[in-house]
Amino acid sequence: MSGGGSTGTSEPGGLRGAFRGLTTRGRSFLAAGVAAAACAYLLGQADLLRVGLLLAALPLVCVLVLHRTRYRVAGSRTLTPARVAAAAEARVRLRVENVARLSTGVLMLQDRVPYVLGPRPRFVLDRVEPGGHREVSYRVRSDLRGRYALGPLQLRLTDPFGMCELTRSFSSFDTLTVVPRVEPLSPVRLAGETAGYGDGRHRSLALAGEDDIIPRGYRHGDDLRRVHWRSTARHGELMVRREEQPQKARCTVLLDTRTVAHEGSGPDSAFEWAVAGAASVALHLLERGFSVRLLTDTGHTVPGPEGGGFAGGESADAAGLLLDTLAVVEHSAEEGLSAAYDALRGGAEGLLIAFFGELDEEQAALAGRIRRRSATAVAFVLDGDAWSRGPGGIRPSHGTPVAERVRLLREAGWTALPVAPGDALADLWRAADRAGAEPGPTAGAAPGRGGPGAPGRSEAGA
């Protein structure tokens, strides 16, 4: 955890485990001693018997001494930060403290980390005096999103002759969360208007007069100057006026995670570009006061099963929850977008930003019906064929070409842009604003327009 750490104490293990810690050298000495003793008995050589007993006794004595060594060592791990972007580094600081009354010998410190984070770190520590401590650190990084467990921390004890080696483990773990890389986006004004957008935000409660005020029950801490005496007399309990609340600008970020829609894997795949794009857009709008909801093709929403969005300033952990969710999002087995359509059926959406993969004509038509749920809809359509081309640059195309997908979405009213490998989201974000501002013939509405009842331009930035 960032700024903190996990702590544990290493205690001696059993005697049987100590004998299992014999090294190759110790086992060789033991075998040679037993063989020499047997030969001395058969040949009647007393001197050879002494040599055999010495060779066999040395590793056994080392095992007993190392086992009875009462090292009591406390270890802690501090991970800073606990959440990093892909390809960024985190620092892990290890602290070992001797809590016994005797000094330790030479210690080998080893921390277990997943292979994707790099090689397993090992450190050799000189003797630690009673009450003393040693600190070491190492760095980890990963190009792949996910949650990775660090630990347990292990101490390897050895004797001066190298006959025995014991490993004692701590029980604590820490978790490193690798989230998608977030690209900064410039403030733009996307076409279409939703209640609460921009500077002209509507108020949720009208103030036409006393009769239009909707009172509510008194709550502890309410200002007594807001008491509505007429309603108090009518209901027989203390009633207060509700404060007017500005409606939040709503936005849904739709991420297409279907396996059939994305080919390939790895940090440079089309799916990873879509995940990083969804994270960048969600955080950009969240910082600008939008109530942001993350939706996948499975119909699952973040935050919460009800799909209520996070608003800027509403929760300090809103961005963290969105990033943590996108850190572990995987391909889904869904065949289409019907679950996402059902999730959006509840009511009109504000701004809809979608990241689509492969779409056939049926799914493109369904995406068109999804678009009707929002005042403004922007789609980034990933060109899977371009991402999947081999070293020769030739790959037979399958499915609907990206140009056809973009055309179908634009006819349905989307502001749709194709995405090829190497395209920067910041450039496409500005291009979406320009495309949404240009009038053009569509099926019922111009690309990026909300149709009738959605005049003007809505603010998606400061």
Side-chain angles (χ1 to χ4, degrees), residues 1 3-10 72-80 91-99 109-112 123 125 132-138 150-155 168-174:
M1 60 187 69
S6 56
T7 305
T9 303
S10 176
R72 295 189 67 248
V73 181
S76 64
R77 181 191 303 103
T78 304
L79 178 59
T80 310
R91 177 180 289 274
V92 183
R93 182 175 290 105
L94 304 176
R95 177 186 172 95
V96 176
E97 183 178 358
N98 183 11
V99 295
L109 190 64
Q110 174 179 282
D111 205 8
R112 298 186 62 181
F123 305 93
L125 305 180
H133 69 274
R134 300 288 185 271
E135 290 188 359
V136 293
S137 64
Y138 64 94
L150 303 180
L153 188 62
Q154 295 178 331
L155 281 177
R168 295 173 182 170
S169 297
F170 299 88
S171 59
S172 57
F173 292 83
D174 282 287

Side-chain angles (χ1 to χ4, degrees), residues 55 57 85 94 97 113 134 144 147 151 195 228 250 326 343 354 382 384 430 432 449:
L55 292 176
L94 304 176
E97 183 178 358
V113 300
R134 300 288 185 271
L144 300 175
R147 286 196 181 101
H228 192 248
R250 298 186 305 276
L326 290 172
L382 281 77
R430 289 189 292 268
R449 301 276 178 177

Side-chain angles (χ1 to χ4, degrees), residues 10 30 45 86-87 141 149 155 180 259 284 294 297 341 364 374 388 414 420 444:
S10 176
L30 184 59
Q45 297 290 329
R141 67 182 298 272
L155 281 177
T259 302
H284 173 77
L294 175 65
D297 56 281
Y341 173 76
S374 64
S388 303
W414 288 85

